[in-house]
Amino acid sequence: DLHPKQSPHHLVTMRSAYLKLRLMVERGCIFVGHGLAQDFLMVNLFVPPSQIIDTVEIFHKDRMRYISLRFLANYLLGTDMQQDTHDSIEDATTAHQIYRKAVEFKANGTFDKVLNDIYEFGQKTDWKLGVEESSSPA
């Protein structure tokens, strides 16, 4: 989705994106996403942990596998994302929706149960899940 002639999105140069990210970090912005540590490593940018909300970490149990954004989107939101091509805007929007679900589950005291259910369902389905197959209660 980052090819200048094929992307439906307005693209900026790598330098411009980096400078904007640095400004956001310096201003204390909170970044919400999925697998952000790897993203920030790729652009060689340090972001204080206090400014990162990462759904890959929120929906993770110790000594267990990390859950893909696509699986979480399928299970929690009932949407099947990125069937054909990668879309970074879809990733960001989906990660934010999943974060809001986590906040909701924590507020009503069901987060631990939902997380256990996700792992149980994932193990049962070998972590392969499409919307049409989903019978998630979330």
Side-chain angles (χ1 to χ4, degrees), residues 1-136:
D1 67 332
L2 296 179
H3 190 278
K5 292 185 178 172
Q6 296 174 347
S7 178
H9 309 295
H10 173 71
L11 302 180
V12 296
T13 65
M14 185 68 139
R15 176 175 166 71
S16 176
Y18 178 80
L19 291 173
K20 287 178 183 186
L21 281 171
R22 273 197 41 205
L23 179 64
M24 291 169 72
V25 170
E26 290 168 6
R27 290 197 172 168
C29 289
I30 305 296
F31 295 87
V32 177
H34 192 82
L36 290 176
Q38 183 63 30
D39 292 341
F40 291 132
L41 185 63
M42 291 298 293
V43 295
N44 195 28
L45 182 66
F46 173 76
V47 179
S50 62
Q51 289 177 240
I52 297 174
I53 297 174
D54 198 332
T55 55
V56 80
E57 297 295 339
I58 292 172
F59 286 94
H60 179 249
K61 289 173 71 172
D62 285 343
R63 296 185 301 280
M64 301 289 279
R65 71 174 286 151
Y66 286 96
I67 304 172
S68 73
L69 181 62
R70 186 174 184 196
F71 189 90
L72 288 172
N74 273 278
Y75 189 89
L76 296 172
L77 307 175
T79 59
D80 197 8
M81 60 182 292
Q82 297 182 4
Q83 295 178 3
D84 299 320
T85 60
H86 176 256
D87 183 336
S88 55
I89 293 175
E90 182 183 25
D91 281 2
T93 303
T94 301
H96 186 256
Q97 291 171 332
I98 288 170
Y99 164 68
R100 291 178 57 109
K101 279 286 200 186
V103 170
E104 175 188 321
F105 295 143
K106 288 180 181 190
N108 66 26
T110 61
F111 181 81
D112 289 337
K113 181 185 179 337
V114 169
L115 185 58
N116 287 330
D117 290 348
I118 292 170
Y119 273 94
E120 183 180 315
F121 193 78
Q123 291 166 347
K124 199 174 5 175
T125 61
D126 197 28
W127 300 99
K128 292 174 179 50
L129 175 64
V131 169
E132 66 282 351
E133 305 166 34
S134 176
S135 58
S136 70

